[in-house]
Amino acid sequence: MASAFYASVPSLHTVQRLKNLVEQKSGGAGAAGACRLWVGEHDRYGYAVLRATVAGKRIHFLAHRLAFFLHFLGTMILIDTMNVSHICHNKKCIKVEHLSYEPQSVNNSRKKCLATRECTGHHGYPKCIL
């Protein structure tokens, strides 16, 4: 259901309501360079989630994907075949500067960076924050 939302242009009222919910459930901006941590609900994998009703339908959002979408609203749509990845490797982070819109293959390659604690780059996508 969230995929249809990301391919649409939501009403101004919906956008403002979702932005307010994201603001309420995040731990604030934090220090410069630091993650912006989600203090709301998490799924069984540790990802931050938000459940909200939009146009009469209950939608389960990944908070980092929603935060990214709301930040870039009007300049891009999010498609299912692309990921919004945490370049900081923190599943609870929703700071837009710590997120990258990229293919699954790039997202998977970030696992090596985390394991080795070294990032050698990701061919046109941001380096990991380690």
Side-chain angles (χ1 to χ4, degrees):
M1 184 59 67
S3 60
F5 173 81
Y6 293 126
S8 69
V9 178
S11 71
L12 188 56
H13 172 74
T14 298
V15 168
Q16 192 56 55
R17 189 169 54 83
L18 290 171
K19 281 184 176 184
N20 289 342
L21 287 170
V22 167
E23 187 66 32
Q24 290 170 13
K25 300 288 184 177
S26 67
C35 291
R36 183 173 189 180
L37 300 178
W38 186 255
V39 294
E41 183 183 356
H42 296 85
D43 68 13
R44 65 182 175 179
Y45 303 107
Y47 288 96
V49 296
L50 174 70
R51 297 174 202 281
T53 302
V54 177
K57 296 179 181 170
R58 192 81 170 147
I59 301 178
H60 175 258
F61 294 102
L62 289 172
H64 67 287
R65 193 169 175 91
L66 178 61
F68 188 88
F69 176 77
L70 292 172
H71 182 79
F72 290 104
L73 188 65
T75 60
M76 67 169 39
I77 60 168
L78 303 185
I79 56 175
D80 288 342
T81 58
M82 296 285 281
N83 291 188
V84 175
S85 301
H86 295 94
I87 62 174
C88 59
H89 300 280
N90 188 335
K91 295 176 182 180
K92 297 175 184 176
C93 182
I94 63 163
K95 187 172 191 168
V96 175
E97 294 83 2
H98 289 193
L99 303 172
S100 176
Y101 188 59
E102 58 196 27
Q104 180 69 41
S105 60
V106 175
N107 188 356
N108 288 341
S109 73
R110 293 187 184 282
K111 293 175 187 172
K112 179 183 175 198
C113 301
L114 186 59
T116 63
R117 303 299 300 163
E118 180 182 0
C119 181
T120 57
H122 298 283
H123 310 290
Y125 296 95
K127 284 185 131 186
C128 294
I129 299 171
L130 298 168

